[in-house]
Amino acid sequence: RIMKMGILELVLPPGREISTRTVSKDTMVSGRQLQQGMEMPDGVTADSSYTSGVLFQQYLMNHLGNYTDPSKESLAYQMEYVFGGRDNDIDNLKSVASKLLFIREGVNFACLMADNVKRTEAQALAAAIASGFLVPPAAVVIESALLLCWAFAESVLDVRGKIPLVKTSADWQISLSNLSSLMEGLDSMRKNNEHGLSYEDYLQVLILPVSKEKKVMRAMDMIEDAIRKKGRANFYMDSCVVALEAFAEVKANRKKEFQVIRQYCYE
C-alpha cells in the first residue's frame, strides 16, 4: 500500500509547499527551430574533458534554483529541469525523487544482504510467517520480500534526510518490527548524519550522467528565461552575436579616404 503512494507524498516533509509552475517548451531553446549563424575562425577548441563537465555542472548549481533553494523565475526547480526536462516543476521533482529512491533502495538492499544480524532477523520472521500459513517452503520467497520492503522503507527515510552513501549498522534507521508503522514515524525514526550527502549532493550525482547536449540545451532554456524575466522579453539565445567583424570605407571631400576594420568577440 505504501509503495503505491505518490512519491512526493512519501519523501517530502508534511506541509511543505510544492511549486506548480509550468513553462511552454515550444518557445524555449530546446523546443524551437534555432537560427544558425555564420561560423568565424576563432582558434577556440571545445573542452570535452570530465573536469570541464564537472565545472560546468557546478556553475549550474551555483546559479540555478532547486527544491531546497527555489528560483523566482518561470520554474522554481531549475536543476531538476536540467535532469528531467519536463515542462513543470512537479514532474521534474518527481523524476528526481523517484530516481533517488530507486538508488537508495538498491544500496540499502545490498547493505541488508551483507548484514548477518538483520538477515537472520528476516529469516526468522519469514520462517514464522511461512509456518503460520502452513507453507514452510515459501520462507525463502517471504524472506526476499521482507528484505525488499525493509530496504524500501529505509530508503524513504533516507530521501527525507542527510545520510551517507553506504551505511553501517549504526546508521540504519528503521527496525523490521517498525515497518508497519513507517508512515506514523517518518520523522521520529529518521537519523541525520552531518557527514552524509545532502539533497543537493545527490542531485549533482544524478545529473552527472545526463548527456552534455541535454545539459547545455536545458541550461540555456533556464538562462534565456531568466534574462527575459529581467525586462528583455524578446531575448533569444540563438540571436546573440558571439563575434562580429565590421568594415567601413569613408570618403571625405573626394580627397581623403579612410578604411576601418573592427573585430569584436567575447574573450
Side-chain angles (χ1 to χ4, degrees):
R1 177 180 61 85
I2 293 175
M3 285 181 174
K4 292 179 181 179
M5 291 175 61
I7 182 67
L8 297 185
E9 184 181 355
L10 277 174
V11 302
L12 297 184
R16 179 70 182 262
E17 185 178 351
I18 303 175
S19 169
T20 57
R21 300 181 203 169
T22 62
V23 293
S24 175
K25 294 196 66 175
D26 293 341
T27 64
M28 306 181 92
V29 179
S30 63
R32 66 171 185 264
Q33 186 69 35
L34 299 178
Q35 297 190 58
Q36 301 293 322
M38 296 179 293
E39 292 188 9
M40 295 180 65
D42 53 14
V44 177
T45 56
D47 186 352
S48 301
S49 66
Y50 177 79
T51 301
S52 174
V54 171
L55 292 175
F56 172 64
Q57 191 165 303
Q58 187 59 53
Y59 168 84
L60 297 182
M61 288 296 298
N62 291 341
H63 291 87
L64 300 183
N66 61 69
Y67 172 71
T68 59
D69 184 19
S71 167
K72 295 180 181 178
E73 311 303 340
S74 294
L75 289 181
Y77 312 144
Q78 296 171 313
M79 287 303 294
E80 285 81 353
Y81 172 78
V82 173
F83 174 77
R86 310 292 178 83
D87 64 358
N88 64 88
D89 278 329
I90 290 181
D91 284 345
N92 286 319
L93 188 59
K94 282 181 179 178
S95 65
V96 171
S98 298
K99 186 70 172 181
L100 186 53
L101 189 64
F102 176 76
I103 291 173
R104 286 306 317 172
E105 187 174 0
V107 172
N108 287 331
F109 185 76
C111 290
L112 285 174
M113 294 298 290
D115 191 321
N116 292 329
V117 175
K118 288 183 174 60
R119 284 205 64 185
T120 300
E121 188 178 349
Q123 287 170 356
L125 181 57
I129 294 173
S131 298
F133 283 95
L134 303 178
V135 281
V140 176
V141 177
I142 295 173
E143 179 193 347
S144 298
L146 285 173
L147 290 174
L148 285 171
C149 289
W150 201 354
F152 175 82
E154 183 72 10
S155 301
V156 171
L157 296 177
D158 287 349
V159 177
R160 293 172 68 94
K162 190 173 183 180
I163 37 81
L165 182 60
V166 180
K167 293 181 173 181
T168 64
S169 295
D171 298 316
W172 204 262
Q173 300 167 102
I174 188 170
S175 64
L176 186 58
S177 59
N178 285 334
L179 283 185
S180 59
S181 57
L182 172 65
M183 297 310 297
E184 289 76 33
L186 279 172
D187 292 315
S188 61
M189 296 183 207
R190 194 179 71 241
K191 298 178 184 177
N192 264 336
N193 187 320
E194 291 304 318
H195 301 291
L197 298 180
S198 65
Y199 172 77
E200 290 186 337
D201 294 331
Y202 274 107
L203 186 57
Q204 290 210 60
V205 172
L206 293 181
I207 293 176
L208 202 56
V210 176
S211 71
K212 180 181 178 181
E213 181 182 0
K214 287 183 179 179
K215 277 190 280 196
V216 170
M217 295 298 287
R218 292 170 183 175
M220 287 196 292
D221 286 346
M222 296 295 96
I223 293 170
E224 183 180 79
D225 176 69
I227 294 175
R228 288 178 181 176
K229 292 294 183 294
K230 295 185 184 300
R232 298 178 181 271
N234 296 317
F235 174 79
Y236 290 88
M237 290 285 286
D238 51 324
S239 296
C240 291
V241 175
V242 176
L244 172 69
E245 180 178 279
F247 171 82
E249 183 176 298
V250 181
K251 292 183 179 181
N253 299 326
R254 298 182 180 180
K255 295 181 181 180
K256 295 184 179 180
E257 295 184 2
F258 303 92
Q259 292 184 348
V260 181
I261 297 177
R262 292 289 184 268
Q263 291 182 334
Y264 300 93
C265 65
Y266 291 102
E267 293 291 338

